[in-house]
Amino acid sequence: MIELNALTKKFGKVTAVDNMSLSIKNGSVVGLVGSNGSGKSTLLRLLSGVYKPSSGEVYIDGQKLFDNPDAKGQCYFIPDFPFFYNNSTINNTAFLYRKLYPNWSEDEFTRFCTIFPIDSNARIINMSKGMQRQAALILALSTCPRYLFLDEIFDGLDPVVRHLLKKILITHVAEHNMTVVIASHNLRELEDLCDRVCLMHRGHLVMERDIDTLRTAFRKVQVAFSQAPDKPNIFEGINVINVWQNGNVFNVTIKGTEEDFMPQLNALNPAYISAMPLTLEEIFISEMGAAGYDINSIT
Amino acid sequence: MTSTASLKNKFKQASSVFAWDLKACTGTITVYSILAAVFTTIILTLCIVLGSLFAEGMGSDKWAFIDTSIDFFQIIASMMIYFLTIIFTIIYTVQIYSYQHSKRKVDLYGSLPISRSVLFLSKSASAYIFSLAPAMFFLGIIFIISICFGRPLTNEALSVYLKLLMGTLACISAYGLASVCCGTTLNSVIMFLAVCVVYPLSAMFIKGVIGGFFMGFYSGIFKDNFIMNALNPLAAYDGINVGYWLIFSVVCIFASVYLVKNRRMERAQESFAYYLPCHIIKVLIAFLVGMFLGVLFGSLNVFGYGYLGFVFGFVLGSVPAFVIAHLIFYKGFSKLFQTSIPLAGLIIIVISLMAVINYDVFGYNEFVPNMDNVQSAGFIDGDNFYKVNNESLGKVVKDSSEDFTDKEKINSIISVHSEILDQSDFSSVRKFQNVWVEMVTDNLPFQLGYFDYTFSYKLNNGQVVKRIYRNTDVESEYITGANIYDLLKTKEYTEKYTAFMAADIDDIACVEVKFNSEEYFRINNQNADAQDCKKIIETFRKDFEADKSDVSSVLAPLSYIDYSYDGYYYEDYEDIELYKNYDPDSFCLIEIKTSYAGLNGGDYNNIFDFLSSNMVLSELSSKTEIYVIPKSYTDTLAVLREVGVLNSNDELQKNSSNYQWIG
C-alpha cells in the first residue's frame, strides 16, 4: 500500500505538491489527472523516490521510501521522457537491471520482448518515441514491480500498442496484484484502465474517487422548454455544476443521480428532458471549472 | 548475517552501476587505449632509431646506446601516459558525474533501487578505475618492454604510478564534490577549473606580497608546501604532499556523500544545488583579479603612491570580476546584491591588511637586533654554500644562528646587516614591484637566482631572528664596508657550508687537480677510480682539520668563485701562481665537483631535473669548489703521488687517460 502523509514538495517559492495525504490500495490502478503544472509529475517523482519531500513522507508497504533501496526495489518509474545511453539496447540494459531489481524475471522479459513488436538488440536512442516507450515498458514490466508509476505513458503509442499495454497492465494487476499510478492528460485511456482517479490542481488534491462512483455522480442533462420559466435561477435547489443555454434549451451538468434531481426538473414542466453520464473528460472540465480553472479563467 | 547480506547486496548494486558506466564510457576508453598504444609505439621506435643513429654518428656500434634509449623511452612514454591519463580522467569524470545534472538522468538514477550514497561511491569508483586501470596497463607494457631490453625501471618512471594514483584520487574526489554542489555539468567544470587555476594563483599573490613587503622574509617555506595548492587537486599529480592529498580526498568523498544524501535532485539543470562553493569561488576570483590589478597599479605608482594605486586597482579589478563570475554561475543578475556581502568584506579586509603591511606597522623591515641582545649569530653566503641532506634553506639559516658567539664576529654580521638595510628601498612602489619579482623567480620550474645574504641571530631570550635577502632586494650588488668574507674563510664556516667538508663523500662526483687552467687531472668517484677519489678527499679533509694555522690561503679561491651554476670561471683564478703571491706555500689547486643528485637529495622532482641530470646540463648543474693545496699538506700530496696524479717531478701525470689538456 502506498501512503502519502502530508506530503509537500517546494521548488523555491513554488509549491508543486501541497500537504497531500492519500492512500492507494494494492492492486488498484490510479489515474492522476490535473491541469498543466498541477504537480502530477512531481508527485510521481516523489512516489518513486527521485525527489526528497520538503516535508511529509511517502510510505510503501509501511516503509519510508526515500533513499530506501528495499522499498524502491518494489517500484518502477517510467518518466515522460525516459533516459537511455547512446549505446543502450533492451538486452544490454536488461543485463544491468537484473542485478538491481530483486524481482527481475527472465521469463517475463523474454515474454515481453516477444509481445512488443521491437528489436531488443537495436539501439533504443534511434527508435521512435513510441518504440522507446515500449522499450521502457518491457524493462519495467520485467522487473515485476509491485508499484508501477507511469508518466504520460500513452504519448506516442499507436492505438494497437495502447490497447496491448492496457491489456497487459490489467492482466498484471489481476495476476500479481500490482499497483499502477498513471499521470496522463489522455482521459479517454484512463477511463478504460483506472479504477480510481485523483484530480490535482495547483499542488492540491481536488478530488479522489472511484471511477464508477464518479461516473454515476455526474449527469449531463438536456432540458428543453416550450417557454423558459421566468425565474432568475431556474435550477435552484439542484446541485448544478455547469449550465449552457441556447434559446429555450439548457445543457446542464448536475452532480447527483437521476433520483436526486429528476423530480425537481420535472416540476419545471420541460418539453423534453434527457440525462446521460459524463465522460471523464467532461467531469475533469467541470470539476476544474469549479476549482477556478476553466477556459474563461485561462483566456 | 544481515549486515553481510546487505554488504553483498550493496556490492552487487555497485558492480551493476560500474558495468553500466563501463558501457557508457567504452568509447572514451577505446580512444584512450588507441592513443596510448600508438604513442608508446612511436616513442619506442624513435628512441631506438635515434639512439642507433646517434651511436653510428659517434662511430660506435649501433646498439651502443640502447640502454640510454630504453631509459629515455621509459621516461618519455611514462610521461605521455601520465598526461594522457590526466586528460582522460577529466573526460571520464565529467561524463560519469553528469548523472546529477540532467533531469532525464536524474529520473533514471533517482528511481533505481540503490541508495544515493552507494550510487555516488560506485560512480566515483568507476571514474577511478576507468582512469587508472588503462594507465597501469600501459605503464606495465612500458616496463615489460624495458625489462625485455634488460633495463631496470627508473625511479622517474616508477614515480608516475604514485603521481597518477594520487592525482586521480584527488581530482575525482574534488570534481565529485563540485558536481554534487552544482546543478549543471558546465558549472561543475567551470568551478573545478576555477579552483585549480584561481587558488594557486591567489596563493602565489599572497606569497609574493609576503616576500615583497617583508624584505628578508624567507618565502621559500612555501615552496612545495601543500598550502600553495591546497584547493588545486591537479597539484596532487606532482606526487608530493601525499598525506595532505589523501586527507583532502577523504574529506571530499565524505562531504560529497553527506551532501548527495540530502541533495535536491530537482536542482538538475539549475545553477547550483549548494551555493557555498559558488560564493567561495566568486570571492577567490574577485581576489585574484583585484590583486593582479592592484599590485600592477601599485608597482606602476598610479596616483604617485603605490598603496593608493593598489586600492584603486583592487577595487577596479575585484568588483567587475565578481559580477562576471556571478553572471556565469547564475546565468543572470538574480541574487547579485544579496550575494555581494562577501565581496564587500573581501575589499575591506584586503585593503586594511595591505595598509598594515605597506606601512610596516610592526617594524619588521628595519629591524636589526641590538648587539647587547644577541647571544650568537650567523651569516651564510647564499650563493655559495652546500646544503647537506637537502635541508631547507630556512632550517639551515635558523641553525646558523649559533655559528658565531664572539662579539667581534657578531658585530661584523650586524654591521653588514645594517649596511644592507641602508641600501634597501622601502618605498611603497618598490614593495609592489618586489611582489612581481617574488612571483616570477619563485614559480619557475628551475632556479633563476640565489639568496645572497642570510642573517640569523639567537637573542638572549632564546628567540631566533632570521633574515634572508636577495640580491634583488639590495641596490648595490656587492657588500662594502665590513669584510664579511673574513667570516666565510673561517674553519667553522667551511666545515658546515662547503661541499669539500660537509658533503657526503658519495655525493662528490670527481676531483680535478690542476696548476693552471690549461690542463687538469680528473679522478672520477666511480668505477675503478672511486677508491682513489675517496682517498684524496678524505686525506685532504684530514689535513685541513689538522691545520692549526690560518686556513684562509687554502680557501682563497672561494673569494673569487662565488658561483659555479653558469659554469663560468675567470681563467686567472685557476692559476696557482696567483695564490703563490699571497702564500708561497701554495702548491696546486684541487677542484671538487658534486653530483647533481647530491644537490637534490637524489630525487628528480620533474622532467627538468631528469634532463638536467642526464643530459648536457649535468655539468652546469653540479656544484664546484676550488681550493689551494699547500705544500704543508704532505699527506694529501703523498696520496696524489700514490694514486698517480702527480709524477716523480710533482707534475701532472700526462700519460694517463685522466689527464686533459684544454689549452
Side-chain angles (χ1 to χ4, degrees):
Chain A
M1 187 160 117
I2 301 172
E3 285 172 283
L4 276 59
N5 188 0
L7 191 68
T8 299
K9 181 65 190 175
K10 290 182 178 176
F11 300 136
K13 289 174 185 169
V14 178
T15 306
V17 174
D18 194 0
N19 198 31
M20 188 182 282
S21 295
L22 179 70
S23 291
I24 300 172
K25 287 179 186 167
N26 287 350
S28 57
V29 181
V30 177
L32 275 182
V33 295
S35 50
N36 292 330
S38 60
K40 301 185 295 294
S41 297
T42 302
L43 181 61
L44 285 185
R45 287 184 172 91
L46 288 164
L47 288 174
S48 54
V50 176
Y51 289 168
K52 186 181 184 185
S54 303
S55 65
E57 201 63 62
V58 177
Y59 293 91
I60 298 272
D61 294 335
Q63 292 184 81
K64 276 188 182 177
L65 175 83
F66 182 73
D67 212 17
N68 180 349
D70 292 339
K72 284 167 84 175
Q74 306 302 322
C75 307
Y76 196 98
F77 170 48
I78 301 183
D80 44 356
F81 297 103
F83 174 80
F84 296 102
Y85 281 107
N86 280 343
N87 51 2
S88 292
T89 63
I90 295 176
N91 277 339
N92 67 28
T93 311
F95 174 77
L96 304 163
Y97 277 12
R98 276 184 193 108
K99 286 183 185 170
L100 283 176
Y101 284 92
N103 303 331
W104 174 270
S105 163
E106 210 56 48
D107 294 341
E108 291 286 286
F109 176 65
T110 314
R111 191 166 72 88
F112 288 121
C113 283
T114 324
I115 292 173
F116 284 96
I118 55 170
D119 178 3
S120 56
N121 283 316
R123 285 171 69 170
I124 300 173
I125 204 88
N126 292 336
M127 294 177 180
S128 69
K129 185 181 175 186
M131 289 170 86
Q132 287 193 20
R133 274 166 204 266
Q134 288 179 52
L137 278 164
I138 292 171
L139 293 164
L141 293 169
S142 303
T143 65
C144 297
R146 295 194 62 211
Y147 302 95
L148 181 62
F149 307 116
L150 306 170
D151 196 359
E152 298 294 356
I153 192 66
F154 299 109
D155 263 18
L157 297 183
D158 66 55
V160 176
V161 176
R162 278 208 302 269
H163 186 73
L164 175 67
L165 171 63
K166 282 189 274 187
K167 196 177 149 193
I168 289 170
L169 289 178
I170 289 165
T171 313
H172 237 72
V173 168
E175 289 177 359
H176 303 292
N177 202 29
M178 182 174 77
T179 307
V180 184
V181 181
I182 310 176
S184 178
H185 291 295
N186 193 334
L187 304 181
R188 177 67 201 84
E189 304 293 350
L190 290 183
E191 204 167 2
D192 290 348
L193 193 61
C194 299
D195 45 29
R196 281 178 82 79
V197 168
C198 295
L199 181 60
M200 290 183 71
H201 183 57
R202 291 180 182 164
H204 292 278
L205 188 62
V206 175
M207 181 195 76
E208 184 228 344
R209 203 77 61 87
D210 282 349
I211 208 146
D212 291 336
T213 315
L214 201 61
R215 280 204 187 104
T216 54
F218 294 89
R219 284 291 181 271
K220 186 168 58 178
V221 181
Q222 192 171 54
V223 188
F225 296 96
S226 49
Q227 183 143 16
D230 187 19
K231 288 168 71 174
N233 188 355
I234 301 170
F235 303 109
E236 193 176 4
I238 302 171
N239 195 353
V240 173
I241 304 287
N242 201 315
V243 179
W244 179 72
Q245 183 182 359
N246 184 10
N248 288 340
V249 178
F250 292 80
N251 291 298
V252 193
T253 306
I254 299 172
K255 199 171 187 176
T257 59
E258 277 91 338
E259 291 82 38
D260 297 332
F261 58 78
M262 271 309 205
Q264 287 163 285
L265 284 179
N266 285 327
L268 296 170
N269 290 321
Y272 170 80
I273 184 165
S274 88
M276 62 180 80
L278 263 67
T279 62
L280 193 56
E281 186 156 322
E282 286 167 325
I283 297 169
F284 172 78
I285 291 169
S286 64
E287 282 291 317
M288 293 304 285
Y293 184 77
D294 57 22
I295 193 162
N296 296 322
S297 66
I298 294 171
T299 54
Chain B
M1 191 71 184
T2 312
S3 66
T4 312
S6 167
L7 197 67
K8 199 176 166 188
N9 202 29
K10 280 179 182 171
F11 183 75
K12 203 170 139 190
Q13 292 169 338
S15 66
S16 185
V17 172
F18 174 78
W20 211 334
D21 285 329
L22 184 62
K23 201 105 207 146
C25 292
T26 305
T28 321
I29 293 171
T30 308
V31 172
Y32 172 90
S33 304
I34 292 170
L35 288 176
V38 169
F39 281 131
T40 304
T41 313
I42 290 172
I43 293 164
L44 178 63
T45 310
L46 286 179
C47 284
I48 292 176
V49 171
L50 293 177
S52 62
L53 285 176
F54 185 70
E56 283 176 351
M58 298 285 286
S60 312
D61 175 62
K62 66 188 285 188
W63 299 111
F65 292 107
I66 189 68
D67 288 355
T68 315
S69 298
I70 295 300
D71 283 354
F72 269 94
F73 160 71
Q74 263 192 55
I75 302 296
I76 298 169
S78 302
M79 293 308 288
M80 180 274 299
I81 293 288
Y82 172 78
F83 287 116
L84 204 60
T85 304
I86 293 174
I87 293 165
F88 275 79
T89 296
I90 294 168
I91 296 171
Y92 298 131
T93 311
V94 168
Q95 210 170 346
I96 285 171
Y97 284 120
S98 68
Y99 83 97
Q100 302 167 101
H101 304 138
S102 148
K103 284 193 187 294
R104 291 174 67 187
K105 284 187 183 177
V106 162
D107 283 342
L108 171 71
Y109 284 100
S111 61
L112 288 177
I114 180 168
S115 75
R116 287 181 171 202
S117 48
V118 173
L119 178 64
F120 181 84
L121 290 172
S122 309
K123 289 275 184 185
S124 304
S126 301
Y128 199 54
I129 292 168
F130 295 166
S131 303
L132 282 178
M136 294 303 150
F137 172 77
F138 281 101
L139 286 174
I141 296 280
I142 290 165
F143 295 160
I144 289 168
I145 292 171
S146 304
I147 289 165
C148 287
F149 277 96
R151 292 302 296 160
L153 307 182
T154 61
N155 285 338
E156 175 72 2
L158 277 173
S159 71
V160 170
Y161 270 115
L162 173 71
K163 289 176 179 179
L164 280 180
L165 281 169
M166 212 54 259
T168 307
L169 179 64
C171 281
I172 290 175
S173 312
Y175 183 82
L177 182 58
S179 73
V180 171
C181 295
C182 293
T184 65
T185 299
L186 181 66
N187 268 9
S188 311
V189 174
I190 292 174
M191 177 174 279
F192 180 79
L193 293 178
V195 170
C196 291
V197 174
V198 174
Y199 180 86
L201 288 176
S202 301
M204 269 170 62
F205 263 107
I206 293 173
K207 182 186 162 192
V209 166
I210 292 171
F213 279 70
F214 295 101
M215 290 183 195
F217 182 85
Y218 176 52
S219 56
I221 56 169
F222 297 116
K223 191 169 174 61
D224 291 340
N225 193 310
F226 78 91
I227 203 80
M228 292 302 293
N229 277 295
L231 293 183
N232 170 21
L234 286 175
Y237 279 109
D238 290 341
I240 53 175
N241 300 316
V242 173
Y244 168 76
W245 289 116
L246 274 175
I247 294 168
F248 173 89
S249 304
V250 170
V251 169
C252 282
I253 291 169
F254 272 100
S256 304
V257 168
Y258 174 76
L259 292 175
V260 85
K261 277 183 174 177
N262 298 297
R263 188 175 188 271
R264 297 170 68 180
M265 296 305 262
E266 64 270 21
R267 291 286 189 183
Q269 291 173 229
E270 288 183 25
S271 297
F272 288 93
Y274 296 102
Y275 281 88
L276 183 61
C278 170
H279 298 317
I280 294 171
I281 295 289
K282 278 163 58 186
V283 167
L284 270 178
I285 291 172
F287 174 77
L288 177 65
V289 181
M291 284 302 285
F292 173 78
L293 217 55
V295 174
L296 182 69
F297 281 15
S299 56
L300 292 175
N301 215 16
V302 172
F303 298 133
Y305 186 63
Y307 178 69
L308 283 182
F310 172 81
V311 172
F312 176 62
F314 189 82
V315 175
L316 193 65
S318 59
V319 174
F322 186 88
V323 173
I324 291 169
H326 184 93
L327 287 174
I328 292 170
F329 284 130
Y330 284 72
K331 315 279 185 290
F333 287 99
S334 70
K335 296 181 182 171
L336 175 62
F337 289 104
Q338 298 97 304
T339 58
S340 295
I341 296 166
L343 173 67
L346 173 79
I347 292 173
I348 293 166
I349 290 169
V350 170
I351 289 175
S352 309
L353 279 178
M354 286 301 286
V356 170
I357 61 171
N358 180 62
Y359 295 109
D360 195 12
V361 173
F362 301 106
Y364 180 93
N365 285 331
E366 295 183 31
F367 175 77
V368 179
N370 193 306
M371 179 71 197
D372 298 336
N373 294 333
V374 178
Q375 208 180 87
S376 58
F379 172 88
I380 298 173
D381 177 1
D383 280 358
N384 195 22
F385 82 103
Y386 186 83
K387 276 195 278 180
V388 183
N389 298 329
N390 204 29
E391 280 181 333
S392 74
L393 183 70
K395 185 172 184 317
V396 175
V397 175
K398 188 181 176 187
D399 292 346
S400 74
S401 64
E402 294 179 5
D403 283 355
F404 300 107
T405 48
D406 69 283
K407 294 285 176 192
E408 195 183 332
K409 283 176 179 162
I410 294 172
N411 197 33
S412 291
I413 292 169
I414 289 176
S415 64
V416 174
H417 190 174
S418 303
E419 194 182 337
I420 284 176
L421 294 186
D422 290 344
Q423 292 171 20
S424 297
D425 179 359
F426 293 119
S427 68
S428 184
V429 64
R430 180 60 186 261
K431 288 173 182 171
F432 281 107
Q433 287 165 355
N434 282 348
V435 175
W436 297 115
V437 175
E438 279 285 326
M439 287 175 64
V440 171
T441 53
D442 277 5
N443 291 290
L444 292 172
F446 43 87
Q447 197 157 5
L448 262 188
Y450 281 102
F451 293 96
D452 275 337
Y453 320 110
T454 80
F455 300 87
S456 61
Y457 307 93
K458 188 166 189 181
L459 304 183
N460 291 334
N461 60 10
Q463 188 193 347
V464 174
V465 174
K466 52 182 183 177
R467 295 287 188 274
I468 301 171
Y469 296 97
R470 279 190 166 169
N471 41 8
T472 50
D473 292 338
V474 185
E475 286 185 335
S476 169
E477 193 179 342
Y478 302 104
I479 304 172
T480 55
N483 189 0
I484 201 74
Y485 286 105
D486 285 347
L487 292 173
L488 303 181
K489 288 190 200 170
T490 60
K491 223 170 176 179
E492 303 98 295
Y493 187 91
T494 307
E495 280 169 357
K496 284 189 79 170
Y497 303 115
T498 61
F500 155 47
M501 290 301 285
D504 188 296
I505 206 146
D506 288 327
D507 286 341
I508 292 173
C510 68
V511 293
E512 287 175 7
V513 179
K514 58 179 74 174
F515 289 93
N516 53 55
S517 56
E518 291 181 344
E519 55 181 355
Y520 65 82
F521 193 101
R522 175 184 287 183
I523 308 105
N524 288 320
N525 191 12
Q526 59 184 13
N527 303 328
D529 289 343
Q531 287 303 319
D532 294 344
C533 180
K534 287 185 174 75
K535 199 170 181 182
I536 293 169
I537 297 162
E538 281 166 357
T539 315
F540 186 37
R541 281 179 175 178
K542 279 179 190 163
D543 275 343
F544 185 79
E545 280 169 3
D547 193 347
K548 301 291 180 197
S549 65
D550 176 13
V551 291
S552 64
S553 60
V554 175
L555 305 172
L558 288 179
S559 310
Y560 304 105
I561 303 168
D562 56 0
Y563 45 83
S564 56
Y565 195 80
D566 59 2
Y568 181 75
Y569 299 94
Y570 294 104
E571 296 275 318
D572 285 353
Y573 302 147
E574 293 188 72
D575 194 338
I576 192 64
E577 296 303 322
L578 175 72
Y579 304 103
K580 283 182 178 170
N581 296 331
Y582 295 106
D583 184 358
D585 190 41
S586 302
F587 178 73
C588 66
L589 293 165
I590 184 168
E591 200 168 289
I592 292 167
K593 291 187 177 183
T594 56
S595 63
Y596 180 82
L599 288 175
N600 290 276
D603 295 325
Y604 307 127
N605 290 321
N606 54 45
I607 192 73
F608 295 101
D609 288 357
F610 173 77
L611 293 174
S612 301
S613 62
N614 286 281
M615 298 174 71
V616 289
L617 292 173
S618 60
E619 280 293 307
L620 307 181
S621 305
S622 64
K623 188 163 178 60
T624 303
E625 290 172 4
I626 188 164
Y627 300 95
V628 171
I629 302 179
K631 289 172 189 162
S632 56
Y633 283 24
T634 51
D635 289 348
T636 306
L637 292 175
V639 169
L640 290 178
R641 289 182 200 111
E642 181 191 326
V643 301
V645 175
L646 299 175
N647 60 21
S648 53
N649 298 324
D650 275 353
E651 293 167 340
L652 293 181
Q653 187 65 264
K654 293 186 179 172
N655 55 1
S656 164
S657 60
N658 290 351
Y659 172 80
Q660 291 286 324
W661 186 81
I662 51 174

